[in-house]
């Protein structure tokens, strides 16, 4: 009887513990960053890496999450890198995540973005960092440090259920979803955003007054920065400091970091100086997600430079020659998402159409506004034909309207008419309705594209094109190409 009682008690405690852990995983702080839970997924994916497979660890905040691509570093120089960057992550978080990472990995180099030296540690950011880390001595230490900074319950950092137990009424389906590392690319957050209208002159810190808007580093940030320095020194790890392009970064900030780096005998690369911006091939019209973060195009450029620098300065193996090396990513999905990101950053019509060819799983809806005869360049005509367009737009007679659906299986549906309008409508395989209309009458010209009942067309002279992904039910990009001027208007999800 005693044995049965003990077994029942043990079974009850085990069941209770499992339920507690499950509830703890659901009742987490909901991130409000525009990267959603991607940063948490990237951190979780770290635990799935093959042991001792990473040579370079990249640490920082969202500057790193959006600004450094370990996959690009591998493709450029064969470097095995992984990035851990969380929104507004402090040096406290960076330090404990470095310790957690080094439990299974033995990196030769740590690259550290210095942004948060000047930023106050936010309780929500420390909590997200703690939530993402598995229960371990490092998580407990991070919880203690966060408690000291924010006077919150240490237990709540270890068990989010303590703080967020009342979240049950706001739970959504995604809170119960499983972990899917298909969408993890060694720490990079791919973004389809491209901020237009930023000032290159303002971004370049060469133009700053070093005495203006001087701010000081926070003592606790510097203290944990020094812990990172000491750990790297004790473990024979090379430490490289860098700063991604950031609109709110100043010359005073950079000078203070340079002084700190010199005192520690460290190299510091600041990509807010014009010399380094030119070295990476930076283009402010295509490479920024917003005023403070690179987008995927910018991340690739910065990562190419970091890869070249690391290959030249450190004794790192070129793993492209190792047939057994595995990036441990879904490479097809990575290329698709990366192509989507570049589509939203590209403003040259020919380059945009060439990129579109790389996206094999999308539908292309095209409609004309006005006449096209004799206006389509040989280059654009060839690119459109390569995408599957059978009609020669240069041969359309005056007053003709034209619509085309280039399907994701390589076929096309095309209609033209000189009547009042021409239209194609139907339902895609995923159940979403579409309708395209082109009017080319002298008194009423129009290009209209409805996807799922919503008008996507820019409706301006030339070619109006909408790119749609059936699998994700998302509009990848909408553009209008003015055939007379050669200019392209884009509607991305950033503007």
């Amino acid at each position: 009887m005693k044995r049965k009682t003990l077994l029942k008690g043990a079974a009850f405690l085990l069941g209770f513990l499992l339920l507690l852990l499950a509830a703890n995983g659901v009742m987490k702080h909901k991130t409000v960053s525009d990267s959603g839970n991607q940063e948490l997924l990237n951190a979780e994916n770290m635990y799935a890496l093959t042991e001792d497979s990473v040579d370079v660890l990249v640490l920082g905040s969202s500057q790193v999450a959006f600004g450094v691509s370990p996959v690009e570093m591998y493709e450029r120089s064969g470097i095995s890198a992984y990035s851990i960057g969380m929104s507004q992550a402090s040096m406290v978080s960076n330090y404990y995540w470095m310790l957690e990472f080094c439990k299974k990995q033995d990196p030769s180099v740590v690259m550290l973005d210095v942004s948060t030296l000047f930023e106050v540690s936010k309780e929500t950011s420390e909590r997200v960092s703690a939530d993402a880390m598995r229960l371990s001595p490092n998580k407990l230490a991070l919880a203690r440090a966060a408690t000291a900074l924010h006077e919150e319950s240490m237990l709540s950092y270890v068990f989010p259920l303590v703080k967020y137990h009342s979240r049950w009424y706001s739970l959504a389906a995604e809170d119960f979803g499983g972990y899917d590392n298909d969408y993890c690319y060694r720490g990079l957050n791919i973004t389809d955003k491209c901020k237009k209208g930023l000032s290159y002159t303002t971004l370049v810190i060469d133009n700053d007054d070093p005495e203006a808007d001087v701010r000081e580093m926070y003592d606790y940030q510097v203290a944990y920065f020094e812990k990172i320095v000491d750990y790297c020194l004790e473990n024979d790890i090379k430490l490289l400091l860098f700063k991604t392009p950031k609109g709110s970064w100043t010359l005073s900030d950079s000078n203070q970091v340079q002084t700190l780096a010199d005192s520690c005998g460290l190299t510091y690369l600041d990509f807010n100086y014009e010399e380094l911006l030119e070295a990476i091939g930076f283009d402010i019209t295509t490479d920024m997600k917003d005023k403070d973060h690179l987008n995927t195009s910018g991340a690739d450029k910065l990562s190419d430079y970091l890869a070249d620098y690391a290959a030249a300065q450190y004794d790192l193996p070129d793993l492209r020659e190792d047939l057994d090396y595995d990036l441990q990513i879904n490479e097809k999905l990575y290329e698709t998402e990366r192509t989507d990101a570049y589509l939203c950053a590209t403003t040259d019509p020919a380059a945009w159409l060439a990129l579109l060819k790389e996206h094999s799983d999308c539908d292309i809806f095209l409609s004309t506004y006005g006449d096209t005869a004799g206006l389509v360049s040989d280059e654009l005509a060839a690119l459109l034909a390569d995408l599957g367009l059978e009609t020669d737009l240069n041969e359309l007679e005056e007053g003709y309207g034209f619509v085309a659906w280039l399907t994701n299986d390589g076929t096309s549906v095309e209609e033209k008419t000189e009547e009042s309008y021409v239209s194609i409508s139907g339902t895609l395989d995923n159940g979403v309705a579409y309708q395209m209309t082109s009017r080319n009458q002298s008194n009423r010209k129009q290009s209209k594209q409805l996807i799922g009942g919503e008008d996507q067309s820019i409706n301006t002279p030339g070619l109006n094109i909408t790119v749609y992904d059936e699998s994700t039910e998302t509009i990848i990009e909408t553009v209008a190409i003015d055939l007379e001027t050669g200019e392209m208007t884009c509607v991305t999800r950033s503007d």
Side-chain angles (χ1 to χ4, degrees), residues 261-405:
D262 290 343
S263 70
C264 298
L266 300 172
T267 298
Y268 170 48
L269 301 176
D270 193 328
F271 293 93
N272 293 273
Y273 284 104
E274 189 162 25
E275 180 181 358
L276 283 182
L277 285 171
E278 291 178 352
I280 68 174
F282 177 80
D283 183 346
I284 200 165
T285 67
T286 62
D287 296 340
M288 295 296 285
K289 167 184 167 288
D290 53 46
K291 73 180 183 66
D292 282 341
H293 299 82
L294 290 170
N295 62 16
T296 302
S297 171
D300 281 351
K301 293 177 180 180
L302 178 64
S303 301
D304 283 343
Y305 187 98
L306 291 175
D308 289 345
Y309 183 90
Q313 297 295 322
Y314 311 119
D315 184 20
L316 298 174
D318 184 346
L319 294 172
R320 292 172 299 182
E321 302 171 1
D322 184 351
L323 298 180
D324 294 326
Y325 179 74
D326 183 5
L327 273 173
Q328 295 182 258
I329 65 170
N330 184 324
E331 295 187 31
K332 181 180 179 181
L333 190 58
Y334 167 77
E335 291 298 339
T336 297
E337 290 209 354
R338 183 173 176 271
T339 298
D340 292 351
Y342 270 79
L343 281 170
C344 294
T346 302
T347 56
D348 176 75
W352 188 84
L353 288 172
L355 271 173
L356 196 54
K357 179 63 178 176
E358 297 179 19
H359 199 306
S360 59
D361 300 321
C362 63
D363 295 283
I364 303 169
F365 297 95
L366 183 152
S367 54
T368 60
Y369 181 117
D371 292 326
T372 62
L375 295 176
V376 183
S377 69
D378 291 343
E379 183 181 22
L380 292 186
L383 288 165
L384 287 168
D386 201 31
L387 288 169
L389 187 68
E390 296 179 358
T391 302
D392 185 345
L393 297 179
N394 278 319
E395 295 183 357
L396 284 181
E397 296 180 25
E398 183 179 352
Y400 269 64
F402 177 78
V403 292
W405 168 31

Side-chain angles (χ1 to χ4, degrees), residues 106-140:
D106 186 20
S108 301
V109 180
V110 168
M111 297 180 177
L112 176 65
D113 184 271
V114 295
S115 202
T116 53
L117 283 168
F118 295 91
E119 296 173 7
V120 65
S121 168
K122 293 188 176 180
E123 190 272 335
T124 53
S125 299
E126 303 293 6
R127 190 168 293 282
V128 169
S129 291
D131 282 355
M133 191 179 293
R134 292 181 179 177
L135 187 59
S136 67
N138 291 323
K139 179 165 184 159
L140 296 176

